[in-house]
């Protein structure tokens, strides 16, 4: 059948030879998935969204399934769902598992936007929340009730870096029949194995260490529980969550170097955090592998590694303007949110805005995300900025 050029450039008979292999997995794209015949598509409609085949681009491709499988291997899980960001993964867990009348419990040092979600999106649905002090298991026990369906844990806490007794918190929550979800972004599947300590669900901001490039946003929800996965999968489909192949390719590219990068981030960060602890302007360094940091003993009993984050409290006798001068004088540190990429970052925080538990910090908090630059260069940069900001 003779065809016009426009038609021939869309429909052709060429099939590439089978057997091509390379180190990276292939990148498969498509909104429409094509079926060989009408009977096959009729049959497949019954299994839309199941991972044993292909139905529609949003419901999975060889590329998304490959990343899901690798993340299952990373965490020791059976099921994985990929969402457009770490925040989307958090929202998916809440919306998938909670209904009117339910309550969720969040650690008081929880990742900020997760608290915002509990304060804004969930109340009109009749879902309430309370914050518990993650460093006080009795506080969690007191706040667990018959309406508590979901308990979030995070280790260490965002920004203030307290490391809770995860095993104990998980045991208390499960004893009361609550589902326990972990924000495992800091651990990245490398520092500790979440399902070995008993959590039901683990979420990641793949945006951070798994991608490692500071060039993509993505999140994951993993679990070993078939029933929980099924509930989350239904909500996932209903919310139209999915990820693009080009973004998945970036995370697949980052994963093989995840553990090596994590170890390097960790080593440089411990070096710099210890050095900062000896500087006169610094009141306290918050880094779970340092003995001066809250929950250090819990970090030591759960983890072997410690990511690339730490916070510093500058003495309250200094002014916020001095803190800003310090940040602005750093040459090698970008100023901005997020972490896990190659470039070191710095962020000043106003403490009262981020902390609702009973812990009380004095001073001005600055958080550092240490990248992959040389430790010596970063230390030199910190030293000159400390002089500029604090004269010491
Ligand atoms: C960054 C982060 C998230 C959210 O990830 P995004 O991909 O930026 O939405 C969630 N939890 C923690 C602890 C994070 O640091």
């Amino acid at each position: 059948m003779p065809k016009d050029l426009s038609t021939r450039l869309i429909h052709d008979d060429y099939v590439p030879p089978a057997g091509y292999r390379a180190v990276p997995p292939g990148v498969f794209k498509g909104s429409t998935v094509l079926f060989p015949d009408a009977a096959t598509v009729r049959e497949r409609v019954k299994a839309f969204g199941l991972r044993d085949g292909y139905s529609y681009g949003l419901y999975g491709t060889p590329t998304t399934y490959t990343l899901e499988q690798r993340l299952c291997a990373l965490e020791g899980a059976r099921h994985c769902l990929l969402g457009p960001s770490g925040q989307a993964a958090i929202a998916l867990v809440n919306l998938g598992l909670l209904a009117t009348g339910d309550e969720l419990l969040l650690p008081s040092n929880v990742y900020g936007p997760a608290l915002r979600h509990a304060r804004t999106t969930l109340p009109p649905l009749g879902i309430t929340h309370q914050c518990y002090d993650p460093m006080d298991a009795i506080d969690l026990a007191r706040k667990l009730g018959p309406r508590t369906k979901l308990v979030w844990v995070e280790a260490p806490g965002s920004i203030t870096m307290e490391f809770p007794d995860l095993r104990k918190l998980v045991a208390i929550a499960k004893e009361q029949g609550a589902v326990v979800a972990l924000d495992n972004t800091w651990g990245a599947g490398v520092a500790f194995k979440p399902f070995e300590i008993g959590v039901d669900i683990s979420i990641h901001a793949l945006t951070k260490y798994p991608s490692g490039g500071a060039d993509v946003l993505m999140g994951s929800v993993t679990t070993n529980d078939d029933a929980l996965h099924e509930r989350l999968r239904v909500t996932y489909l209903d919310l139209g969550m999915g990820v693009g192949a080009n973004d998945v390719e970036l995370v697949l590219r980052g994963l093989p170097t995840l553990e090596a990068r994590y170890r390097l981030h960790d080593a440089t960060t411990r070096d710099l955090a210890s050095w900062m602890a000896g500087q006169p302007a610094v009141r306290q360094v918050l880094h779970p592998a340092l003995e001066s940091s809250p929950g250090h003993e819990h970090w030591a009993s759960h983890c072997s590694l410690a990511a690339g984050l730490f916070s510093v409290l500058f003495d309250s006798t200094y002014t916020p303007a001095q803190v800003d001068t310090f940040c602005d004088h750093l040459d090698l540190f970008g100023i901005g949110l997020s972490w896990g990429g190659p470039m070191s970052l710095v962020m000043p925080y106003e403490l009262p805005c981020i902390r609702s538990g009973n812990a009380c910090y004095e001073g001005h908090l600055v958080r550092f995300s240490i990248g992959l630059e040389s430790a010596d260069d970063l230390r030199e940069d910190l030293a000159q900025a400390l002089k500029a900001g604090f004269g010491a």
Side-chain angles (χ1 to χ4, degrees):
M1 186 184 9
K3 288 178 194 150
D4 283 341
L5 176 63
S6 59
T7 306
R8 277 189 281 124
L9 290 180
I10 298 169
H11 299 263
D12 75 74
D13 297 333
Y14 180 72
V15 178
Y20 178 79
R21 288 187 72 217
V23 176
V27 178
F28 292 85
K29 302 180 183 183
S31 45
T32 300
V33 168
L34 296 173
F35 294 87
D37 50 47
T40 308
V41 75
R42 279 184 199 279
E43 195 51 37
R44 186 63 196 169
V45 165
K46 299 174 195 158
F48 263 23
L50 290 182
R51 273 150 178 71
D52 60 355
Y54 307 104
S55 320
Y56 180 54
L58 186 61
Y59 304 157
T61 64
T63 306
T64 58
Y65 291 169
T66 300
L67 180 55
E68 287 175 359
Q69 276 312 305
R70 290 189 182 184
L71 293 171
C72 284
L74 173 69
E75 295 225 275
R78 257 205 313 281
H79 306 288
C80 178
L81 297 165
L82 298 172
S85 65
Q87 177 66 8
I90 293 169
L92 171 64
V93 172
N94 290 335
L95 294 171
L97 301 185
L98 297 169
T100 303
D102 291 346
E103 180 157 283
L104 80 155
L105 295 182
L106 302 170
S108 53
N109 54 5
V110 70
Y111 174 65
L115 180 60
R116 188 187 61 211
H117 174 69
R119 284 179 171 160
T120 56
T121 302
L122 299 182
L125 303 174
I127 299 162
T128 60
H129 75 279
Q130 289 188 70
C131 289
Y132 69 92
D133 181 349
M135 305 308 283
D136 178 3
I138 294 167
D139 188 51
L140 173 62
R142 206 171 32 232
K143 286 172 178 161
L144 278 159
R147 293 201 302 115
T148 313
K149 294 289 154 51
L150 179 64
V151 174
W152 279 95
V153 291
E154 190 175 325
S158 276
I159 301 163
T160 42
M161 308 297 291
E162 303 87 354
F163 206 101
D165 188 346
L166 273 182
R167 285 192 198 88
K168 194 164 186 180
L169 296 180
V170 170
I172 290 172
K174 295 196 74 168
E175 207 178 279
Q176 294 293 316
V179 171
V180 180
L182 167 75
D183 184 331
N184 197 22
T185 301
W186 178 92
V190 177
F192 63 96
K193 294 293 169 196
F195 297 103
E196 286 174 11
I197 60 167
V199 304
D200 300 300
I201 293 167
S202 169
I203 76 98
H204 283 245
L206 303 174
T207 309
K208 310 283 171 56
Y209 293 116
S211 112
D215 52 2
V216 66
L217 290 149
M218 199 178 296
S220 64
V221 179
T222 58
T223 183
N224 270 317
D225 186 312
D226 298 345
L228 282 178
H229 173 70
E230 191 49 29
R231 287 165 68 189
L232 292 169
R233 194 182 68 81
V234 169
T235 305
Y236 180 81
L237 292 177
D238 288 350
L239 292 175
M241 277 201 193
V243 289
N246 292 59
D247 286 349
V248 172
E249 180 186 19
L250 292 176
V251 180
L252 281 170
R253 192 180 164 122
L255 270 190
T257 58
L258 168 65
E259 191 180 349
R261 282 184 285 108
Y262 197 92
R263 286 179 187 280
L264 183 54
H265 283 291
D266 179 13
T268 309
T269 304
R270 281 198 228 189
D271 175 341
L272 296 175
S274 308
W275 180 82
M276 282 294 270
Q279 303 310 303
V282 172
R283 188 189 174 92
Q284 192 180 0
V285 174
L286 303 170
H287 180 303
L290 264 57
E291 276 177 30
S292 60
S293 201
H296 166 71
E297 67 279 14
H298 303 315
W299 170 80
S301 82
H302 288 80
C303 302
S304 48
L305 295 171
L309 289 177
F310 70 101
S311 294
V312 159
L313 289 160
F314 290 107
D315 206 278
S316 43
T317 53
Y318 297 113
T319 63
Q322 283 180 286
V323 175
D324 287 359
T325 301
F326 163 75
C327 294
D328 292 345
H329 269 78
L330 287 165
D331 279 333
L332 300 178
F333 290 74
I335 297 176
L337 296 170
S338 201
W339 36 274
M343 183 194 286
S344 292
L345 302 172
V346 63
M347 262 301 292
Y349 283 95
E350 281 307 321
L351 264 183
C353 307
I354 56 159
R355 194 82 176 107
S356 56
N358 66 1
C360 186
Y361 293 99
E362 261 190 62
H364 307 285
L365 189 145
V366 173
R367 190 193 60 195
F368 299 92
S369 162
I370 302 303
L372 297 171
E373 302 94 337
S374 115
D376 290 343
D377 289 344
L378 292 173
R379 197 182 313 102
E380 210 169 286
D381 194 27
L382 287 165
Q384 63 80 22
L386 284 169
K387 256 199 201 78
F390 308 106

